[in-house]
């Protein structure tokens, strides 16, 4: 009967102050959803490959020598990097190289499934034994051409059953015999795959310059000094006195997926931490607001509470009375918060790539929130209430809560304003190069083209000339650069180290420059000359550098000065941002095309007329169908402006989330002030 009485009083009070209660419930729910989603994502990122044995001694090799789309790092290395590290350095216990690519896998009836195709040899099993967990067949596919292994899940989806040993599947025009069925790979791993084909060593793979592998894993012996090993590794030289590991480094595999080395990282980890803090602030704002209202209501019920104490009510019974009114708000906010998590789940899974159920972890976060709220309730039970107060003392706590909420609101508004201005600058500001109405068309490589690539043949790919002629005939294409690496998205940039220049201080370090060539390249991207003069065709002894290059060389007015005792600086190009504008501009050097010749590339860089993007896509699709080229992994045509905006998806997402949190905090504070005034 007593519990029924308590809950009856609680329901009446909640209904009496329904507006205030609703605001508190919504605020707590939004804060809980933000906090839970952010921490679920953080925990998921920090526990990649947790099942791998000795993961604390396993590292990913990466380099800053080449530039990729999302950041200035790459994990691509030559095939011989892994065996070289294993045989040349006693600190290395095991090493392997592998490539994972998305590929269309189809059966004989034409059913196709996009799967992660793993290319690796048996050395992978020394690092990741779980990859070879056999269910059926044998590991002979690692030593035979035309054979592969499927995971059980992939076999069922493509062939309808897991008992398919000896059946054939197709990747492109190549047929493979299923020789093994493996246990399903862990999707929470950097080595998640659907089929495994042995890595066939081609002749061109012995070239250190051909960085064909996606990743190289290294496991060091226990007790190895990692910093000392990296320093030692960087001194390795080949027969040509070239240092292939000069800029290489190691990152723990457990940290790789959440680091900026990972080019496919959807959202930067420090943004997730910021999002988590945002959720905590929203929760505190809503909780303090509700506690203020709860305190005010307790003051209006002083006579009732003192009467209960006089009649012998214990601290436990008062705690039960307050909890009956307090906990329903928390429970309702938890139910609403879980509902918000569920509603956002499709988009959340798309961004985070998280698989599996994690509601148990979300409920744990809610239990922690519930315990926090109960701790905040204890002062109302333990303190001795009095009916008389000095003027102004009664509302000190409430005023402090209101000021705290307003401070949180102002903090959010300031952050939103700064981020909004920054994002506007990044998306609409001057980057120093023209990206509007620009596209990149990639021609898929053939095996014959890869062989010709090793011998520096100008013939890039089967069908290349046919595509080139077709582009020339498109009336809406206004400018074309053929066989050139684009400025953005960068797919690899040649480097040059300058160790001598006019006026170099004795203590100055060497400077590395990104090397680009061609007057037409400068004109195509509308790069602007800050001082000096433009190069002329056929010049071999004059170069251009950008402002970052001039700063790196310590030259205030570099025009006319010599570098490398051979080249004269003809002019200075204004700085341009070819990678994320949040990263510093790198030094760049420009040669005329006759001095260097084009860097071999399978790309066409196009400028098209306004409003003809859809028509260009249709023409490219039709062109690829006519030339009978194997369909590439991704669509061959990329809109440069869209690709650039994708690079800023972390900032855009953070801005939207902070905007939602700010709006919630402002509403909570506004209704909190209104509620306190009405209660007073």
């Amino acid at each position: 009967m007593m519990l029924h009485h308590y809950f009856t009083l609680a329901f009446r009070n909640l209904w009496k102050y329904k507006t205030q209660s609703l605001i508190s419930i919504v605020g707590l729910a939004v804060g809980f959803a933000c906090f839970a989603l952010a921490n679920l994502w953080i925990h998921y990122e920090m526990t990649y490959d947790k099942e791998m044995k000795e993961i604390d001694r396993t590292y990913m090799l990466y380099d800053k020598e080449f530039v990729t789309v999302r950041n200035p790092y790459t994990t691509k290395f030559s095939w011989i990097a892994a065996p070289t590290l294993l045989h040349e350095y006693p600190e290395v216990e095991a090493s392997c190289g592998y490539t994972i690519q998305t590929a269309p896998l189809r059966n004989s009836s034409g059913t196709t499934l996009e799967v992660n195709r793993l290319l690796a040899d048996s050395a992978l099993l020394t690092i990741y034994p779980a990859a070879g967990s056999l269910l059926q067949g044998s590991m002979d596919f690692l030593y035979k051409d035309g054979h592969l292994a499927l995971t059980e899940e992939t076999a069922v989806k493509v062939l309808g059953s897991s008992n398919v040993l000896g059946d054939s599947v197709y990747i492109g025009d190549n047929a493979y015999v299923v020789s093994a069925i493996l246990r399903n790979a862990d999707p929470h791993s950097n080595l998640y795959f659907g089929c495994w084909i042995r890595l066939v060593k081609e002749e061109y793979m012995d070239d250190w310059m051909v960085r064909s592998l996606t990743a190289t894993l290294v496991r060091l012996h226990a007790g190895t000094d990692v910093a000392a090993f990296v320093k030692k590794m960087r001194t390795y030289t080949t027969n040509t006195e070239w240092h292939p590991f000069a800029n290489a480094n190691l990152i723990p595999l457990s940290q790789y997926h959440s680091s900026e080395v990972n080019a496919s990282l959807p959202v930067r980890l420090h943004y997730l931490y910021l999002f988590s803090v945002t959720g905590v602030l929203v929760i505190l704002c809503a909780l303090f607001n509700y506690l203020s209202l709860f305190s005010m209501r307790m003051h209006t019920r002083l006579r009732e509470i003192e009467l209960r104490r006089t009649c012998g009510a214990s601290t436990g019974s008062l705690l039960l009375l307050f909890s009956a009114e307090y906990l329903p708000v928390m429970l309702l906010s938890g139910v609403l918060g879980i509902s918000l998590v569920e509603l956002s789940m499709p988009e959340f899974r798309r961004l985070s790539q998280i698989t599996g159920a994690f509601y148990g972890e979300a409920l744990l976060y809610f239990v922690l929130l519930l315990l926090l709220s109960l701790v905040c309730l204890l002062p109302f039970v333990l303190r001795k209430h009095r009916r008389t107060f000095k003027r102004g003392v009664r509302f000190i706590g409430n005023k402090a809560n209101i000021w705290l909420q307003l401070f949180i609101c102002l903090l959010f508004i300031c952050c939103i304003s700064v981020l909004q201005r920054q994002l506007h600058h990044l998306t609409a500001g001057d980057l120093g190069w023209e990206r509007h109405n620009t596209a990149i068309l990639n021609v898929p490589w053939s095996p014959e083209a890869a062989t010709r690539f090793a011998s520096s043949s100008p013939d890039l790919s089967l069908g290349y000339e046919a595509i080139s002629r077709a582009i020339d005939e498109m009336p809406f294409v206004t400018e074309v650069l053929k066989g050139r690496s684009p400025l953005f998205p960068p797919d690899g940039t040649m480097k040059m180290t300058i160790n001598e220049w006019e006026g170099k201080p004795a203590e100055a370090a060497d400077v590395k420059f990104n090397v680009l060539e061609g007057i037409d390249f400068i004109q195509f991207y509308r790069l602007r000359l800050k001082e000096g003069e433009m190069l002329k065709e056929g010049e071999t002894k004059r170069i251009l550098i950008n402002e970052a290059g001039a700063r790196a060389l310590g030259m205030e007015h570099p025009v006319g000065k010599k570098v490398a005792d051979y080249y004269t600086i003809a002019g200075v190009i204004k700085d341009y941002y070819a990678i994320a504008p949040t990263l510093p501009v790198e030094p760049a050097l420009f040669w005329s095309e006759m001095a260097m010749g084009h860097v071999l590339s399978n790309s066409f860089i196009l400028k098209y007329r306004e409003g003809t993007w859809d028509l260009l896509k249709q023409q490219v699709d039709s062109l690829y169908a006519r030339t009978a080229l194997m369909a590439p992994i991704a669509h061959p045509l990329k809109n440069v402006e869209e690709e650039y905006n994708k690079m800023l998806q972390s900032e855009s997402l953070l801005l939207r989330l902070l905007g939602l949190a700010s709006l919630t905090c402002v509403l909570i504070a506004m209704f909190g002030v209104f509620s306190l005034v009405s209660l007073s």
Side-chain angles (χ1 to χ4, degrees):
M1 289 297 294
M2 188 61 67
L3 284 177
H4 180 269
H5 171 66
Y6 288 163
F7 280 108
T8 301
L9 286 176
F11 177 76
R12 288 175 179 174
N13 283 315
L14 288 175
W15 185 254
K16 181 178 180 181
Y17 305 108
K18 51 184 177 292
T19 302
Q20 296 90 330
S21 300
L22 180 62
I23 293 298
S24 300
I25 290 171
V26 172
L28 287 169
V30 171
F32 169 72
C34 294
F35 178 78
L37 290 174
N39 282 274
L40 287 170
W41 198 339
I42 292 171
H43 181 256
Y44 188 82
E45 292 290 340
M46 299 299 290
T47 54
Y48 252 71
D49 284 310
K50 61 181 179 181
E51 301 298 329
M52 180 183 289
K53 294 182 179 179
E54 310 296 341
I55 190 173
D56 58 321
R57 296 191 286 115
T58 306
Y59 299 85
M60 180 84 76
L61 189 68
Y62 73 94
D63 200 337
K64 200 177 178 179
E65 180 70 13
F66 282 60
V67 178
T68 57
V69 174
R70 291 293 303 277
N71 53 39
Y73 304 107
T74 181
T75 57
K76 290 186 177 182
F77 278 86
S78 168
W79 175 85
I80 54 178
T84 297
L85 291 173
L86 179 63
H87 297 136
E88 297 290 334
Y89 295 96
E91 297 91 341
V92 177
E93 178 182 306
S95 65
C96 70
Y98 69 90
T99 294
I100 293 182
Q101 301 170 333
T102 305
L105 183 70
R106 72 176 191 276
N107 59 22
S108 56
S109 62
T111 302
T112 303
L113 177 69
E114 291 286 335
V115 300
N116 283 351
R117 176 182 60 172
L118 171 65
L119 299 175
D121 57 24
S122 58
L124 180 66
L125 298 176
T126 63
I127 294 281
Y128 193 45
S133 299
L134 268 174
L135 297 179
Q136 300 178 45
S138 69
M139 301 298 288
D140 289 345
F141 70 92
L142 291 173
Y143 312 99
K144 294 181 180 179
D145 290 333
H147 290 251
L148 56 66
L150 299 177
T151 62
E152 185 177 24
E153 178 185 28
T154 303
V156 171
K157 288 182 177 179
V158 176
L159 299 173
S161 170
S162 60
N163 300 313
V164 291
L165 292 180
D167 288 3
S168 294
V169 292
Y170 302 86
I171 299 177
D173 296 328
N174 299 318
Y176 295 90
V177 177
V178 180
S179 297
I181 300 297
L182 305 177
R183 193 179 307 277
N184 291 334
D186 183 8
H188 196 191
S189 169
N190 293 292
L191 291 97
Y192 176 63
F193 63 92
C195 72
W196 185 354
I197 305 173
R198 77 165 179 146
L199 180 67
V200 180
K201 179 181 173 295
E202 303 288 353
E203 183 178 346
Y204 68 88
M205 294 174 69
D206 284 330
D207 188 348
W208 281 102
M209 292 293 292
V210 181
R211 299 189 171 210
S212 54
L213 288 182
T214 300
T216 300
L217 297 181
V218 178
R219 176 170 295 160
L220 302 180
H221 286 289
T224 300
D225 186 334
V226 178
F229 171 74
V230 169
K231 186 176 180 180
K232 180 180 177 182
M233 175 181 65
R234 290 176 175 175
T235 62
Y236 179 80
T237 57
T238 64
N239 294 332
T240 60
E241 298 300 319
W242 188 56
H243 294 69
F245 302 121
N247 297 284
N249 209 336
L250 297 177
I251 183 172
L253 186 60
S254 58
Q255 300 175 16
Y256 163 72
H257 193 271
S258 60
S259 71
E260 292 191 349
V261 177
N262 180 11
S264 60
L265 182 67
V267 176
R268 293 180 175 86
L269 192 62
H270 61 272
Y271 286 165
L272 296 181
Y273 285 119
L274 184 57
F275 185 33
S276 176
V277 172
T278 298
V280 172
L281 290 177
V282 175
I283 289 174
L284 292 177
C285 190
L287 192 59
F288 290 157
N289 182 72
Y290 184 67
L291 287 173
S292 297
L293 299 177
F294 193 80
S295 175
M296 286 291 296
R297 294 207 297 268
M298 290 302 102
H299 282 297
T300 62
R301 297 168 60 185
L302 282 178
R303 181 175 295 180
E304 171 199 345
I305 295 171
E306 293 300 332
L307 184 60
R308 289 180 181 275
R309 287 187 183 277
T310 303
C311 294
S314 64
T315 300
S317 62
L318 288 177
L319 178 62
L320 190 60
L321 171 65
F322 293 159
S323 299
E325 183 175 337
Y326 189 79
L327 291 181
V329 173
M330 304 304 300
L331 293 174
L332 288 173
S333 67
V335 171
L336 182 58
I338 293 292
S339 301
L340 292 176
V341 170
E342 179 65 26
L343 288 173
S344 60
M345 195 52 60
E347 182 68 13
F348 177 71
R349 288 189 186 276
R350 184 187 69 80
L351 288 172
S352 65
Q353 302 173 358
I354 293 179
T355 58
F358 43 75
Y359 288 103
E361 192 172 340
L363 287 174
L364 176 62
Y365 294 141
F366 175 69
V367 170
L368 294 176
L369 175 61
L370 196 61
L371 293 176
L372 173 64
S373 64
L374 286 175
V375 170
C376 294
L377 184 63
L378 290 177
F380 295 99
V381 179
L382 299 178
R383 73 178 180 178
K384 297 295 183 179
H385 293 275
R386 292 179 173 86
R387 297 184 59 189
T388 59
F389 293 89
K390 294 181 180 180
R391 183 179 298 274
V393 174
R394 177 175 175 178
F395 299 105
I396 288 178
N398 297 331
K399 290 178 181 179
N401 281 335
I402 290 297
W403 280 111
L404 179 61
Q405 293 176 54
L406 291 176
F407 172 76
I408 294 175
C409 292
L410 290 174
L411 181 63
F412 272 118
I413 292 172
C414 290
C415 291
I416 287 290
S417 300
V418 172
L419 281 173
Q420 182 67 48
R421 290 177 64 86
Q422 182 184 21
L423 190 61
H424 176 76
H425 173 72
L426 296 180
T427 54
D430 182 12
L431 300 179
W433 59 281
E434 178 60 52
R435 65 187 185 276
H436 188 56
N437 289 340
T438 304
I440 308 298
L441 177 60
N442 294 313
V443 179
W445 295 89
S446 65
E448 294 84 356
T451 303
R452 287 193 288 272
F453 173 80
S455 60
S456 299
S457 169
D459 187 7
L460 297 177
S461 175
L462 298 179
Y464 183 89
E465 291 300 327
I467 293 175
S468 177
R469 289 192 299 270
I471 290 175
D472 291 337
E473 296 171 359
M474 295 179 182
F476 44 83
V477 175
T478 58
E479 297 179 58
V480 184
L481 289 180
K482 299 179 180 180
R484 309 288 287 277
S485 294
L487 186 66
F488 184 91
D491 59 359
T493 303
M494 185 176 178
K495 297 275 187 175
M496 177 180 178
T497 301
I498 302 293
N499 49 29
E500 292 293 337
W501 62 86
E502 188 176 333
K504 177 186 178 182
E507 69 280 1
D510 297 347
V511 180
K512 280 195 173 177
F513 283 80
N514 293 325
V515 179
L516 303 104
E517 80 285 340
I519 301 171
D520 56 347
F521 187 90
I522 297 173
Q523 294 171 342
F524 181 91
Y525 282 107
R526 312 295 191 262
L527 302 181
R528 297 187 293 274
L529 196 65
K530 180 182 179 183
E531 60 178 293
E533 61 182 18
M534 187 60 66
L535 298 175
K536 296 180 176 62
E537 292 188 8
E539 286 187 313
T540 59
K541 295 185 178 181
R542 297 209 306 165
I543 61 173
L544 299 175
I545 62 174
N546 64 347
E547 294 176 280
R551 289 192 297 270
L553 296 175
M555 296 181 178
E556 187 174 351
H557 298 290
V559 175
K561 295 184 179 180
K562 289 187 175 296
V563 297
D565 294 329
Y566 184 78
Y567 300 108
T568 300
I569 299 174
V572 178
I573 296 288
K574 284 191 174 183
D575 279 342
Y576 59 88
Y577 294 89
I579 52 177
T582 51
L583 298 175
V585 179
E586 294 188 332
L589 179 152
F590 295 85
W591 270 318
S592 73
E593 61 182 68
M594 296 302 294
M596 178 69 185
H598 300 324
V599 175
L600 194 63
S601 172
N602 62 328
S603 298
F604 293 93
I605 314 173
L606 317 172
K607 278 194 180 296
Y608 55 90
R609 298 188 190 280
E610 184 74 36
T612 60
W613 169 247
D614 292 336
L615 181 59
L616 178 60
K617 288 183 65 176
Q618 293 174 7
Q619 292 283 344
V620 169
D621 290 339
S622 174
L623 177 62
Y624 271 64
R626 292 200 309 272
T627 53
L629 289 172
M630 183 180 70
I633 297 172
H635 198 282
L637 188 66
K638 296 184 183 298
N639 187 304
V640 172
E641 206 158 17
E642 291 178 358
E643 294 298 314
Y644 179 80
N645 291 334
K646 287 179 183 177
M647 186 176 62
L648 300 176
Q649 64 178 348
S650 292
E651 289 78 7
S652 300
L653 177 62
L654 179 65
L655 185 63
R656 292 199 299 271
L657 295 176
L658 286 179
L660 174 63
S662 300
L663 178 62
T664 304
C665 278
V666 170
L667 290 176
I668 290 172
M670 288 174 58
F671 280 96
V673 173
F674 167 77
S675 301
L676 286 174
V677 170
S678 62
L679 281 173
S680 298

